[in-house]
Amino acid sequence: MSKITMVEAVNLALDHAMENNPDVVMLGEDIGVNGGVFRATQGLRDKYGLKRVMDTPLAETLIAGISIGMAAQGLKPVAEIQFMGFIFPTMEQLICHAARMRNRTRGRLSCPMVLRAPFGGGIHAPEHHSESTEALLAHIPGLRVVIPSSPVRAYGLLRSAINEPDPVIFLEPKRIYRASKQEVDQNTPLLPLDKCFTLKQGQDVTLVSWGASVKETMEAARTMEQHGVSAEVIDVATIKPLDMETILTSVRKTGRCVIVHEACKSFGAGAEIAANLAEQALSVLKAPVERVTGFDTIMPYYRMEDHYLPKPDDIMKAALKTLSFH
Amino acid sequence: MEKKELNPIPVYQYLDAEGEVIERLPGWTRNKDILLNYYCNMVLGRQADAKAIALQRTGKLGTYPSCLGQEAISTVFCSLMEKDDVLIPYYRDHPGLLARGIPLSDILLYWGGDERGSASEHWGKDFPNCVPIATQAGHAAGVAAALKIRHEPNIAVCALGDGATSKGDFSEALNLAGAWQLPVVFVINNNQWAISVPRTIQSGAPTLAQKGISAGLPSYQVDGNDVIALHEVLSEAMDRARQGKGATVIEAISYRLGDHTTADDASRYRSGDELQQAWNKEPIKRLRTFLHHRGYWDEQQEQALIKDVGQQIEQNVQTYLNTPLPPVKDLFDYHYANMPSTLKQQKQEAELRATGGKHHE
């Protein structure tokens, strides 16, 4: 088994899904000859042909719209939107149609599509290429929003997303597309959706994160370990629907929680987790829940993005604040 | 340089407003059954429409969009469709849905606020009504792409209003249909009004059909109140799609004789004179006159049809009114095939709320 990066794991997952299911088709801008701007679809057009790997016109609304049409007729479209900043034209289709098709026909039609998009900051991309707007999508009934944090997770979750009978928004944190390698091959197990993953056991504080921020969160946890603080780290992975049970189990053990995400602070998935903890775990909390997040500002251009993205130090400070609360 | 008038769009019409033949009739018109089927369905559509409005006025139906005056368009394209073709309708195609075999009770159930109106087996793989304007154009392109990818012999038919042609979704779908040679027919129901916005300020283009030209698609105008013209242009477009020759855009010119919906009052924004002129062109009277002239129809048949249509409508209204409310769990059961645990909890809460907390007693 060879070690591969996250973007290679995405490619492998797409390859294996297409190999195993002739109904799986892919569509998007530049995904054919070019293999996608990040090369996530590299080689797939040569292998599966023009009718299964389709370069579309430059029209994001259309990409979502035709995916819905295809899915409702029984195909399994896996659409790529080049960057999450370009996902906004698809929102009407996702909200008004993809998310509702099963419900509005009482199951007569459904929308088993996957919409993939690289997201998040930290790669010095131009304006509109670095936002983390996962909460917008997570708010919508009928959608699933899945975010991997490693090559193994990307492979296992994407394969499951493609098997899912309902629409899944699969957001790929591009900052860690090539940040690390793991052993992944076609025998790597599929991973369940709607489940958090506990990456590190700990007793003193629960650190909750997802996507690229898991990297800084793990760094913070390891540093804290060296200083005698035992942090439990949870990778949320599926933002919607949210597996609060895993988070609650951890917080009932540690009594403290720090939520880490790149997205703006307000009205985000972190706020949802904090509200759930307030509703269901107030009596076990030894300190207020802390959030370490991006700011409620527009994601800055790349010269300033380091000031925006949470750092391991920020996470440690928040954790220590919960530990010193009386 | 001499300026030339740009009018690249052929216009089809066989019957004038009085039902007189103005073009040499195609051979199929000797088959009176085709014409009588169109006529009967249009009458059913109009009577059902009147009944739906009456139900809304008496609090038995939700807000409802009338199809008054444009019964011919969807009647013809739906009658020409094969069972396994896929209809992607807009929200004013009720006569077409009836022609497609969808029971009136389903249509009433939908406008009566019950999702099950789009759920019955009669719908096959057809799409439910589309409320957000023009968004269904992309679905139609996707359906057509799926049919093409799977080498299936069927086609997609997409209906839209004149206002829908102003949206990017429409242009994007036409563009793709041209680029990918998709088996789809786009039918614009140009009823002259997008709520209060008249066709004249909807677009500066002399025709709406010509928007298909920029996508490389054959594009036609047709008198949408003339079933013979509709049959000709639609059947040709559908044959083209079936033969793998690609998509067609058809602008069917009609008039919305009613309000936009039962929540609208069209007298606020359009004149009585204009409405009266439009009534003179309406499709049912025009076809009835033609059928009388041909000896295909008489007063006795008309009375029998009215009686039969009335009975059909009454039965369907009773079916609709007698349909019990769905259980509360229906709110939750169809959002996901695999229901998330958080939703299961909310489902229990809703059932408890609905039973006043007696659920577990």
Side-chain angles (χ1 to χ4, degrees):
Chain A
M1 195 188 293
S2 58
K3 286 192 166 188
I4 60 174
T5 63
M6 178 191 276
V7 72
E8 289 167 338
V10 167
N11 183 271
L12 196 64
L14 294 170
D15 190 355
H16 291 164
M18 295 194 84
E19 197 171 298
N20 289 316
N21 182 354
D23 284 334
V24 175
V25 295
M26 290 173 29
L27 59 152
E29 297 161 4
D30 298 314
I31 69 161
V33 177
N34 202 28
V37 288
F38 289 98
R39 309 290 177 259
T41 58
Q42 187 156 284
L44 298 178
R45 197 188 79 153
D46 285 347
K47 196 165 176 184
Y48 297 104
L50 284 168
K51 282 197 171 175
R52 292 189 66 196
V53 182
M54 292 167 267
D55 272 325
T56 64
L58 206 74
E60 286 83 9
T61 303
L62 178 84
I63 291 170
I66 57 177
S67 296
I68 292 162
M70 289 175 175
Q73 300 302 305
L75 285 183
K76 181 83 210 191
V78 182
E80 177 176 301
I81 300 295
Q82 276 189 341
F83 288 91
M84 196 181 197
F86 308 151
I87 218 167
F88 305 115
T90 72
M91 296 288 272
E92 183 179 22
Q93 288 288 350
L94 295 175
I95 296 169
C96 294
H97 296 296
R100 299 167 63 106
M101 191 60 80
R102 178 182 295 282
N103 192 60
R104 66 201 290 247
T105 61
R106 289 296 184 253
R108 180 176 62 83
L109 299 178
S110 60
C111 192
M113 64 181 276
V114 175
L115 189 127
R116 300 175 36 245
F119 87 118
I123 66 157
H124 289 194
E127 191 179 9
H128 303 300
H129 286 62
S130 300
E131 288 78 1
S132 301
T133 45
E134 64 267 28
L136 292 177
L137 296 151
H139 191 67
I140 308 307
L143 295 183
R144 277 188 163 76
V145 181
V146 178
I147 301 175
S149 64
S150 68
V152 166
R153 210 84 62 212
Y155 179 86
L157 290 171
L158 183 52
R159 289 292 308 275
S160 294
I162 293 171
N163 288 340
E164 185 62 33
D166 290 314
V168 180
I169 313 300
F170 195 82
L171 301 175
E172 297 162 11
K174 58 184 179 286
R175 180 154 60 88
I176 56 169
Y177 255 157
R178 295 182 170 87
S180 65
K181 291 188 174 185
Q182 286 178 322
E183 290 186 341
V184 183
D185 70 8
Q186 61 183 347
N187 298 316
T188 298
L190 275 59
L191 295 172
L193 306 182
D194 308 357
K195 281 285 174 198
C196 295
F197 298 94
T198 303
L199 302 184
K200 178 182 171 305
Q201 299 287 335
Q203 300 298 321
D204 300 329
V205 58
T206 301
L207 308 180
V208 179
S209 190
W210 55 89
S213 293
V214 168
K215 182 169 171 282
E216 287 79 28
T217 305
M218 282 298 287
E219 280 177 37
R222 280 193 289 266
T223 307
M224 285 157 64
E225 199 77 32
Q226 290 165 8
H227 293 85
V229 176
S230 167
E232 185 144 309
V233 178
I234 293 175
D235 173 7
V236 176
T238 301
I239 300 296
K240 170 73 174 277
L242 188 61
D243 167 22
M244 270 311 294
E245 269 320 302
T246 300
I247 298 170
L248 281 164
T249 301
S250 176
V251 172
R252 284 183 187 124
K253 179 171 67 174
T254 64
R256 297 176 178 89
C257 185
V258 177
I259 302 160
V260 185
H261 62 68
E262 264 187 51
C264 299
K265 185 168 193 173
S266 302
F267 302 97
E272 177 62 28
I273 293 168
N276 270 283
L277 290 172
E279 281 177 1
Q280 299 176 62
L282 190 63
S283 61
V284 302
L285 282 173
K286 298 171 187 163
V289 174
E290 285 289 319
R291 284 183 283 165
V292 182
T293 70
F295 302 110
D296 289 350
T297 66
I298 291 166
M299 176 73 186
Y301 304 170
Y302 71 80
R303 291 179 73 186
M304 295 286 277
E305 69 182 353
D306 273 356
H307 291 291
Y308 181 91
L309 297 170
K311 303 286 178 303
D313 260 4
D314 306 322
I315 301 165
M316 280 192 290
K317 279 179 192 155
L320 293 174
K321 191 175 166 192
T322 67
L323 285 159
S324 59
F325 180 82
H326 294 295
Chain B
M1 197 169 75
E2 189 186 351
K3 190 183 171 195
K4 288 183 180 168
E5 195 68 32
L6 181 69
N7 187 10
I9 301 297
V11 184
Y12 287 79
Q13 188 185 14
Y14 288 86
L15 301 179
D16 70 9
E18 279 73 44
E20 299 294 338
V21 177
I22 56 171
E23 280 286 336
R24 182 186 165 87
L25 289 178
W28 64 266
T29 54
R30 286 193 290 275
N31 180 346
K32 70 175 180 180
D33 288 345
I34 296 174
L35 291 165
L36 291 181
N37 279 338
Y38 287 154
Y39 182 70
C40 294
N41 193 76
M42 287 159 65
V43 170
L44 172 63
R46 181 164 295 184
Q47 301 298 326
D49 197 65
K51 185 67 183 179
I53 292 167
L55 288 168
Q56 193 278 333
R57 299 290 186 231
T58 52
K60 292 173 183 163
L61 199 73
T63 302
Y64 170 82
S66 169
C67 61
L68 185 64
Q70 56 185 79
E71 295 89 348
I73 302 167
S74 63
T75 289
V76 176
F77 67 69
C78 283
S79 300
L80 289 169
M81 288 175 74
E82 292 179 4
K83 180 175 168 289
D84 292 329
D85 293 339
V86 182
L87 174 67
I88 301 96
Y90 92 127
Y91 49 76
R92 217 184 288 280
D93 286 329
H94 325 309
L97 300 182
L98 294 169
R100 195 94 175 105
I102 292 160
L104 175 60
S105 55
D106 272 6
I107 298 170
L108 294 172
L109 206 54
Y110 174 80
W111 293 106
D114 191 323
E115 286 86 348
R116 292 173 298 179
S118 305
S120 79
E121 63 189 17
H122 303 283
W123 287 81
K125 287 201 163 186
D126 288 355
F127 273 58
N129 284 312
C130 188
V131 174
I133 301 302
T135 50
Q136 76 272 32
H139 307 162
V143 168
L147 293 168
K148 185 167 180 171
I149 289 166
R150 288 177 154 172
H151 302 290
E152 289 174 16
N154 296 102
I155 64 168
V157 177
C158 180
L160 315 100
D162 40 298
T165 64
S166 299
K167 279 200 61 174
D169 300 67
F170 174 75
S171 303
E172 291 185 16
L174 263 54
N175 183 55
L176 187 80
W180 288 8
Q181 292 277 294
L182 295 176
V184 54
V185 178
F186 295 98
V187 185
I188 305 162
N189 287 261
N190 177 1
N191 68 17
Q192 311 301 326
W193 292 92
I195 308 189
S196 66
V197 178
R199 162 65 185 90
T200 46
I201 58 171
Q202 188 65 237
S203 169
T207 73
L208 300 176
Q210 74 192 67
K211 296 188 178 195
I213 301 291
S214 65
L217 301 180
S219 303
Y220 307 107
Q221 282 193 316
V222 59
D223 186 329
N225 295 337
D226 173 352
V227 292
I228 296 172
L230 283 164
H231 180 106
E232 275 297 284
V233 70
L234 282 161
S235 56
E236 188 180 310
M238 289 158 90
D239 286 348
R240 280 192 73 246
R242 271 185 226 294
Q243 289 161 14
K245 294 177 181 170
T248 305
V249 176
I250 295 166
E251 177 187 357
I253 299 166
S254 185
Y255 195 91
R256 191 192 78 211
L257 292 171
D259 299 324
H260 167 67
T261 66
T262 47
D264 177 45
D265 173 9
S267 69
R268 287 166 52 86
Y269 51 79
R270 68 182 183 192
S271 74
D273 283 351
E274 180 183 307
L275 185 60
Q276 189 51 52
Q277 283 174 29
W279 267 107
N280 293 337
K281 298 177 184 171
E282 66 98 352
I284 292 182
K285 179 165 154 280
R286 184 184 307 198
L287 181 56
R288 185 166 58 230
T289 306
F290 172 77
L291 293 173
H292 275 290
H293 288 171
R294 291 264 140 172
Y296 294 167
W297 196 247
D298 60 31
E299 191 54 34
Q300 200 178 349
Q301 288 168 297
E302 178 76 10
Q303 291 308 317
L305 175 66
I306 296 294
K307 189 177 170 191
D308 177 54
V309 159
Q311 284 171 350
Q312 275 189 64
I313 291 170
E314 195 48 42
Q315 280 172 7
N316 277 276
V317 167
Q318 286 312 314
T319 302
Y320 157 61
L321 292 175
N322 292 335
T323 303
L325 287 180
V328 171
K329 71 182 188 66
D330 262 32
L331 287 179
F332 299 88
D333 283 351
Y334 300 96
H335 275 295
Y336 298 92
N338 303 311
M339 190 186 291
S341 58
T342 47
L343 210 54
K344 285 179 190 164
Q345 287 165 18
Q346 291 185 17
K347 180 179 167 183
Q348 285 177 354
E349 283 172 32
E351 287 180 318
L352 271 174
R353 213 190 279 178
T355 55
K358 294 173 187 165
H359 190 58
H360 294 298
E361 286 179 9

